[in-house]
């Protein structure tokens, strides 16, 4: 291709990275244009992934990789005297919070690679997830203006703009399309992201301007554009805010209309919609698409309500990603009535239809009341709530969890009553990750070794082929090369950390890494406590021969999640405490990297010796970071939670480090759990926990640490002390961690063998497998 010429022509040397990036991506967009256009019309039956979040990361290197252009372009850069790695300055598209958004991105990649007609619909936020820095150990947020230097991977499609009406305003939804290139094939999928803009006639009010009310003159435009201004940085608590509901309706309604428009352009009737279209709802965030479709069928197409409901049920499917009660979306019905008056009416009709069905089944009035889709908040509340998950289950064909344990918990616990009503709807779809980004791109050296052993690079599209690498686990030449690659990746990460955090880390120490959103249930605090335990042990001579370890954290906290922010500060204080201690610091180091994101993850998952997956059993729906580490040859230090269970099953529990209470026991355990008893009986745990209140570390007078302490001992807002069983699992966690430390120190070959076997067992966790399962058993593509 002529990108070489272009780089030469532009005299690239004088251009900043984003200009080179622009030139390069425009050239690539030109190359793929024909295939992309063809892909849009090629298929009959199609599926759509509706998601509030797509955590895409950086597009450029991935697109070159999938098109097989990396080597050519690298050479072109080299010939032009230009630095290929300079594009690492290009911003991630961080239009998501964490697991749920990254899963959506992996799914699109797998669909494109596997030749499936799946496209994504979402929101083109002006500001993605905030940028994080630490000031004095506290998290500080800054806006993420990710398109500041342009967005060359998107195409604005003015011709497909949609007009949307709220009870109190009208807005235009303008689509921007991003190509999704999974491999060098003809199947280029599309991620269509909607941007909110004012109607042209509302852009500016000259009457107000003439009155001298200059701000008011553009007020309407501002409130329209606010809808897609910013990603909500929460990933667990539902707050019921008006703007969030507007966002949910904004992209759901625009997408439904877009699908109907294309369907009609193909000359099909609305009765036939379920024959051609399947829509996957990524959690309840886009569930308002259901009443919107029903509304359109009734108001514009002359359907009666029950016909419309039937069409909806065949079109939509719902994925649940969380079991935590505070994340479940329940909207105040008065808010729905105010901003979406017609949707409100449809929701009431759905509720009535459901109640009618339940009476036909012979359920008691009391039971029906407890299940209503629209129901009173409680007997002593005047609020009435719209339960989005209930609506989702009632109005779809398939409901799925994201790992075996998670689906089991949905069926037997969280959604048990609904499972009993509709057992045929429930399925499991264990999550996956795309091997393109999560090994081929981020770990070229290991990918090269694998390709040599397997004869070619086709395993990237057929990850089960890794299985046949198990036979090399005892081949010392293979394992030492594998170890050398990991050592090199650790060195590269160490250099990066030096540049970006100003911290020196030793690549010959054990890299023990926990990277994920900051949450109490993910138990970064358990990790922190274990570090203090080792610190005191080394300092006081109890712990001998501790193999030097670098404990690395990466995590963003929701800006309003005070306790999570306290945990960040605490870990940063522990880092400083150790760094200031000459006797201990040669044995351990703590690094909390700033602004953990997809691009940082790519550098971290390839350089880990230990993957920390330590959520309280039964709380992490699946986890997908666990899979990224495994695929890159890392042992898991984990609880039997989410997909960890399946990881241990695939790789063998003996090749991982499993600890802690199991999910089925915890309900019983928590009934009589008294963390203060543990404190009184175990002086070492006492010592560690008391650092929160004894002045060992300081929270700068904020009271954050004291609050953490009382949450564990007496129970603060949860009314249950240590709700996530941190102290209960502490000893078995420390034991497992010391076991790894000793294994690494004394049985290095065995340790690397475990790592290798994890990589060779990771085939199941390709999102190619997950997508095939959705395509075969839900979308029926
Ligand atoms: C809801 C209402 C209002 C504002 C925000 C939200 C919100 C936003 C994001 C609620 C939840 C999320 C994200 C949840 C999430 O990322 N869940 C993770 O999904 C992964 C993919 O299935 C799993 O692997 C993780 O276990 C799960 O925590």
């Amino acid at each position: 291709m002529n990108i070489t010429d272009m780089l030469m022509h532009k005299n690239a040397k004088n251009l900043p990275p984003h200009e080179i990036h622009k030139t390069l991506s425009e050239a690539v967009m030109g190359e793929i244009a024909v295939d992309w256009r063809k892909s849009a019309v090629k298929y009959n039956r199609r599926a759509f992934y509706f998601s509030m979040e797509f955590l895409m990361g950086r597009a450029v290197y991935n697109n070159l990789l999938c098109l097989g252009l990396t080597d050519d372009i690298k050479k072109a850069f080299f010939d032009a005297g230009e630095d290929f790695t300079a594009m690492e300055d290009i911003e991630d598209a961080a239009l998501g919070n964490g697991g749920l958004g990254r899963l959506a991105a992996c799914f699109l990649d797998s669909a494109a690679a596997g030749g499936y007609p799946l496209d994504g619909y979402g929101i083109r936020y002006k500001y993605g997830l905030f940028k994080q820095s630490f000031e004095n150990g506290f998290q500080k947020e800054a806006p993420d203006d990710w398109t500041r230097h342009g967005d060359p991977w998107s195409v604005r499609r003015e011709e497909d703009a949609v007009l949307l009406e709220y009870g109190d305003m009208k807005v235009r939804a303008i689509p921007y399309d991003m190509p999704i290139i999974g491999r060098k094939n003809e199947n280029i999928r599309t991620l269509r992201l909607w941007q909110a803009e004012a109607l042209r006639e509302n852009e500016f009010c000259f009457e107000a301007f003439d009155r001298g009310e200059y701000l008011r003159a553009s007020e309407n435009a501002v409130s329209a554009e606010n809808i897609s201004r910013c990603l909500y940085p929460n990933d667990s608590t539902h707050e019921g805010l008006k703007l969030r509901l507007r966002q949910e309706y904004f992209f759901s309604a625009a997408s439904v209309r877009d699908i109907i428009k294309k369907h009609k352009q193909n000359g099909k009737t609305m009765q036939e919609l379920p024959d051609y279209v399947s829509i996957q709802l990524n959690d309840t965030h886009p569930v308002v698409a259901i009443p919107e479709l029903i509304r359109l069928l009734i108001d514009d197409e002359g359907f009666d309500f029950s016909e419309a409901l039937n069409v909806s049920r065949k079109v939509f499917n719902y994925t649940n990603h969380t079991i935590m009660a505070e994340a479940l979306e329940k909207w105040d019905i008065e808010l729905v009535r105010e901003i979406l008056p017609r949707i409100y009416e449809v929701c009431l009709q759905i509720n009535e239809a459901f109640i009618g069905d339940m009476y036909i089944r012979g359920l008691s009035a009391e039971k029906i009341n407890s299940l209503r889709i629209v129901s009173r908040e409680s007997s002593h509340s005047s609020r009435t709530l719209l339960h989005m998950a209930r609506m989702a289950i009632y109005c779809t064909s398939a409901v799925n969890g994201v790992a075996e344990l998670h689906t089991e918990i949905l069926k037997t616990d969280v959604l048990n009553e609904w499972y009993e009503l509709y057992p045929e709807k429930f399925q499991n779809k264990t999550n996956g990750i795309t091997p393109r980004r999560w090994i081929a791109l981020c770990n070229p050296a290991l990918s090269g070794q694998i390709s040599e052993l397997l004869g070619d690079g086709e395993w990237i599209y057929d990850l089960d082929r890794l299985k046949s690498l198990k036979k090399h686990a005892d081949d010392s030449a293979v394992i030492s090369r594998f170890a050398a690659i990991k050592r090199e990746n650790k060195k590269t990460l160490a250099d990066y950390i030096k540049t970006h955090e100003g911290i020196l880390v030793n690549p010959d120490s054990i890299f023990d890494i926990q990277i994920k959103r900051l949450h109490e249930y993910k138990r970064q605090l358990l990790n922190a406590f274990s570090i203090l335990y080792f610190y005191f042990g080394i300092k006081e001579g109890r712990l001998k021969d501790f193999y030097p370890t670098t404990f690395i954290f990466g995590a963003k906290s929701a800006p309003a999640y005070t306790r999570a922010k306290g945990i960040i500060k605490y870990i940063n204080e522990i880092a400083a405490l150790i760094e200031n201690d000459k006797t201990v610091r040669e044995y351990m180091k703590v690094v909390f990297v700033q602004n953990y994101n997809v691009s940082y993850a790519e550098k971290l998952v390839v350089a880990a010796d230990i993957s920390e997956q330590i959520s309280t059993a039964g709380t992490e729906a699946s986890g997908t970071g666990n899979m990224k580490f495994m695929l890159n040859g890392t042992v898991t230090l984990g609880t039997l939670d989410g997909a960890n269970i399946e990881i241990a099953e695939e790789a063998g529990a003996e090749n991982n480090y499993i600890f802690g209470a199991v999910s089925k026991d915890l309900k019983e355990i928590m009934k009589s759990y008294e963390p203060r008893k543990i404190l009184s009986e175990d002086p070492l745990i006492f010592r560690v926990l008391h650092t929160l209140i004894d002045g060992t570390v300081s929270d700068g007078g904020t009271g954050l640490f004291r609050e953490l302490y009382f949450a564990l001992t007496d129970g603060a807002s949860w009314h249950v002390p240590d709700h996530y069983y941190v102290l209960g699992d502490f000893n078995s966690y420390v034991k497992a961690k010391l076991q790894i430390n000793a294994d690494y120190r004394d049985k290095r070959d065995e340790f690397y063998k475990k790592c290798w076997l994890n990589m060779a067992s990771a085939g199941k966790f390709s999102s190619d497998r997950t997508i095939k399962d959705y395509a075969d058993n839900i979308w029926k593509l």
Side-chain angles (χ1 to χ4, degrees):
M1 78 191 291
N2 52 6
I3 292 172
T4 320
D5 304 343
M6 215 165 292
L7 283 170
M8 295 296 217
H9 226 82
K10 280 245 176 183
N11 191 9
K13 262 195 128 30
N14 304 320
L15 296 175
H18 66 261
E19 286 293 338
I20 298 178
H21 174 247
K22 181 165 172 263
T23 305
L24 174 58
S25 38
E26 279 167 0
V28 173
M29 290 290 265
E31 289 285 313
I32 63 168
V34 172
D35 283 342
W36 192 12
R37 214 170 311 123
K38 281 192 202 150
S39 303
V41 294
K42 209 157 95 184
Y43 297 89
N44 245 325
R45 186 171 168 76
R46 308 174 55 172
F48 300 95
Y49 204 75
F50 280 26
S51 179
M52 285 286 273
E53 308 192 4
F54 286 90
L55 190 40
M56 301 301 285
R58 196 180 288 129
V60 58
Y61 296 118
N62 188 69
N63 287 345
L64 294 177
L65 173 100
C66 291
L67 290 167
L69 291 172
T70 306
D71 291 342
D72 289 356
I73 301 299
K74 249 189 197 162
K75 184 173 180 305
F77 269 67
F78 183 82
D79 293 345
E82 201 39 60
D83 178 10
F84 187 63
T85 63
M87 289 183 299
E88 291 192 8
D89 283 355
I90 302 303
E91 308 269 357
D92 279 21
L95 309 183
N97 275 289
L100 166 148
R102 182 55 229 177
L103 185 74
C106 285
F107 280 2
L108 295 182
D109 178 276
S110 282
Y116 293 102
L118 172 75
D119 295 301
Y121 277 110
I123 298 177
R124 188 172 190 266
Y125 301 106
K126 180 165 188 347
Y127 298 101
L129 186 62
F130 65 87
K131 291 194 165 166
Q132 178 201 53
S133 62
F134 296 141
E135 277 177 28
N136 196 14
F138 292 104
Q139 169 172 294
K140 284 280 159 317
E141 301 91 14
D144 168 50
D145 189 359
W146 67 285
T147 61
R148 191 178 59 254
H149 295 300
D151 172 22
W153 296 105
S154 294
V155 181
R156 183 179 166 103
R157 303 276 187 211
E158 195 75 38
E159 67 276 18
D160 286 336
V162 172
L163 174 70
L164 294 171
E165 289 187 42
Y166 295 92
D168 53 354
M169 68 193 290
K170 292 181 185 172
V171 300
R172 287 203 316 149
I174 319 282
Y176 283 72
D177 288 354
M178 275 186 197
I180 308 294
I181 308 162
R183 86 181 286 179
K184 199 167 160 39
N185 58 12
E186 272 81 69
N187 188 39
I188 295 177
R189 302 317 318 168
T190 298
L191 171 57
R192 174 159 278 197
L193 298 177
W194 300 97
Q195 175 168 298
E197 293 182 10
L199 307 201
R200 281 190 206 87
E201 66 262 31
N202 288 347
E203 257 169 35
F204 200 79
C205 175
F206 282 99
E207 289 84 351
F209 189 76
D210 290 343
R211 287 195 302 271
E213 299 170 7
Y214 304 118
L215 275 181
R216 183 159 296 167
S218 48
E219 201 166 66
N220 285 325
V222 171
S223 43
E225 284 158 20
N226 275 344
I227 292 173
S228 60
R229 176 120 27 228
C230 170
L231 167 78
Y232 273 89
N234 270 334
D235 70 338
S236 57
T237 37
H238 163 70
E239 280 181 291
L241 300 173
K242 195 188 275 191
L243 183 60
R244 169 82 183 187
L245 183 59
R246 282 198 208 279
Q247 288 185 335
E248 293 187 355
Y249 181 72
F250 170 72
F251 94 98
S252 302
S255 307
V256 165
R257 274 184 243 185
D258 199 46
I259 289 168
I260 290 176
K261 176 171 133 185
K262 283 185 243 175
H263 179 71
K264 287 186 168 172
Q265 279 169 356
N266 288 338
K268 310 294 184 207
T269 69
M270 291 307 290
Q271 276 80 10
E272 295 172 293
L273 189 69
D275 301 336
Y276 293 91
V277 169
S278 184
I279 298 174
Q280 194 66 35
L281 302 172
N282 201 19
D283 217 292
T284 55
H285 317 154
V287 162
V288 68
I290 295 170
E292 174 67 4
L293 175 62
I294 293 175
R295 178 188 82 73
L296 289 167
L297 292 173
I298 295 172
D299 296 356
D300 299 355
E301 309 290 339
F303 281 53
D304 69 29
F305 175 79
S306 72
E307 286 172 335
L309 175 59
N310 277 335
V311 167
S312 270
R313 283 186 143 167
K314 289 185 214 151
V315 165
F316 288 107
N317 303 291
Y318 155 60
T319 306
N320 174 288
H321 295 266
T322 183
I323 43 201
M324 278 190 305
E326 70 270 25
L328 287 184
E329 284 193 295
K330 292 171 232 162
W331 290 99
D332 188 327
I333 199 76
E334 290 307 316
L335 184 68
V336 179
R337 181 160 73 148
E338 180 195 333
I339 73 169
L340 304 168
R342 184 68 186 108
I343 292 297
Y344 162 81
E345 293 175 348
V346 174
C347 290
L348 293 186
Q349 271 183 291
I350 293 172
N351 183 53
E352 289 305 314
F354 171 72
I355 292 171
D357 283 3
M358 293 305 106
Y359 269 100
I360 289 167
R361 284 185 186 236
L363 267 57
S364 72
E366 196 190 10
K367 171 88 176 169
I368 296 173
N369 264 331
S370 75
L371 292 169
R372 289 171 61 121
I373 294 167
V374 178
S375 81
R376 283 270 294 283
E377 185 171 33
S378 66
S379 53
H380 41 263
S381 160
S382 58
R383 285 215 310 165
T384 298
L385 301 176
L386 173 61
H387 294 253
M388 302 310 262
R390 296 177 185 180
M391 182 153 75
I393 300 169
Y394 181 59
C395 302
T396 59
S397 300
V399 175
N400 74 282
V402 291
E404 277 164 18
L405 174 68
H406 172 56
T407 303
E408 220 34 54
I409 292 174
L410 293 180
K411 293 203 283 195
T412 58
D413 189 358
V414 184
L415 299 177
N416 175 254
E417 290 172 297
W418 294 86
Y419 173 63
E420 281 175 355
L421 287 173
Y422 304 106
E424 71 288 353
K425 294 192 185 190
F426 283 72
Q427 298 189 25
N428 176 245
K429 294 282 165 284
T430 296
N431 283 165
I433 55 167
T434 168
R436 270 69 66 188
R437 186 174 294 265
W438 296 113
I439 185 166
L441 181 68
C442 66
N443 203 345
L446 182 55
S447 300
Q449 183 185 18
I450 295 170
S451 294
E452 273 179 38
L453 290 168
L454 294 178
D456 58 53
E458 195 48 32
W459 58 275
I460 278 297
Y461 298 98
D462 180 10
L463 205 63
D464 274 326
R465 289 177 55 180
L466 293 181
K467 267 198 193 93
S468 68
L469 296 172
K470 289 184 187 173
K471 63 171 179 277
H472 301 290
D474 290 309
D475 181 335
S476 62
V478 168
I479 297 301
S480 61
R481 177 161 167 207
F482 168 73
I485 288 167
K486 186 169 290 201
R487 172 65 173 69
E488 197 54 37
N489 290 341
K490 287 166 76 173
K491 174 78 175 62
T492 306
L493 176 62
D495 292 344
Y496 192 84
I497 288 176
K498 185 179 161 205
T499 311
H500 289 82
E501 319 297 335
I503 299 173
L504 286 176
V505 306
N506 172 10
D508 290 313
S509 62
I510 297 174
F511 279 17
D512 175 325
I513 307 188
Q514 186 172 20
I515 43 174
K516 48 185 79 254
R517 283 299 286 258
L518 215 136
H519 261 286
E520 288 163 273
Y521 82 82
K522 294 176 188 284
R523 299 200 296 190
Q524 280 94 350
L525 199 50
L526 176 58
N527 192 348
F529 286 154
S530 78
I531 293 168
L532 281 171
Y533 176 95
F534 300 141
Y535 171 75
F536 291 129
I538 294 167
K539 200 173 166 60
E540 291 157 13
R542 265 175 282 117
L543 193 56
K544 303 203 169 56
D545 311 320
F546 188 80
Y547 197 92
T549 302
T550 304
F551 299 95
I552 302 174
F553 293 84
K556 287 178 182 173
S557 160
Y561 190 170
T562 313
R563 205 176 281 167
K565 287 184 143 178
I567 294 170
I568 291 179
K569 171 69 173 167
Y570 185 51
I571 294 169
N572 279 324
E573 287 306 302
I574 294 169
L577 174 76
I578 295 170
E579 199 48 35
N580 291 324
D581 190 320
K582 286 192 193 62
T583 61
V584 181
R585 70 177 173 213
E586 48 186 303
Y587 298 100
M588 51 198 302
K589 180 159 229 150
V590 176
V591 181
F592 205 136
V593 305
Q594 301 173 83
N595 201 40
Y596 170 61
N597 61 7
V598 169
S599 290
Y600 222 136
E602 290 167 16
K603 298 182 183 299
L604 289 157
V605 297
V606 302
D609 298 301
I610 303 175
S611 157
E612 296 262 2
Q613 309 299 337
I614 61 176
S615 51
T616 316
T619 62
E620 187 70 275
S622 163
T624 46
N626 47 4
M627 303 169 185
K628 294 161 197 167
F629 284 108
M630 180 197 199
L631 180 56
N632 286 282
T634 309
V635 297
T636 298
L637 167 55
T639 48
L640 286 176
D641 196 17
N644 297 352
I645 296 174
E646 292 160 72
I647 286 176
E649 221 166 77
E650 293 294 304
E654 70 283 6
N655 294 315
N656 287 291
Y657 295 82
I658 305 298
F659 73 94
V662 300
S663 173
K664 67 169 173 42
D665 295 343
L666 268 165
K667 255 204 172 139
E668 207 49 41
I669 292 174
M670 289 310 280
K671 280 186 197 159
S672 58
Y673 176 48
E674 288 179 57
R676 279 197 183 274
K677 205 162 160 212
I678 296 180
L679 279 188
S680 70
E681 290 166 0
D682 191 329
L684 294 177
I685 296 187
F686 180 96
R687 176 88 202 266
V688 164
L689 194 71
H690 271 242
T691 59
L692 284 166
I693 51 172
D694 68 7
T696 308
V697 290
S698 161
D699 63 13
T702 57
L704 285 167
F705 293 174
R706 191 174 1 99
E707 204 280 331
L708 280 175
Y709 179 83
F710 285 118
L712 292 165
T713 52
D714 296 334
S717 59
W718 274 106
H719 307 291
V720 196
D722 192 12
H723 183 70
Y724 294 108
Y725 204 56
V726 173
L727 303 185
D729 273 346
F730 184 79
N731 280 324
S732 82
Y733 176 58
V734 163
K735 195 171 156 224
K737 236 168 160 163
L738 287 173
Q739 185 65 54
I740 306 187
N741 193 272
D743 287 355
Y744 191 91
R745 183 188 63 215
D746 305 332
K747 308 178 194 162
R748 189 73 53 88
D749 293 348
E750 264 179 57
F751 183 81
Y752 281 125
K753 182 176 163 182
K754 288 182 171 136
C755 292
W756 180 264
L757 287 172
N758 270 280
M759 179 273 288
S761 309
K764 174 176 176 182
F765 305 104
S766 168
S767 45
D768 298 352
R769 185 267 313 151
T770 316
I771 282 297
K772 181 175 182 338
D773 194 355
Y774 277 95
D776 291 348
N777 299 309
I778 297 183
W779 307 329
K780 313 276 164 65
L781 297 177

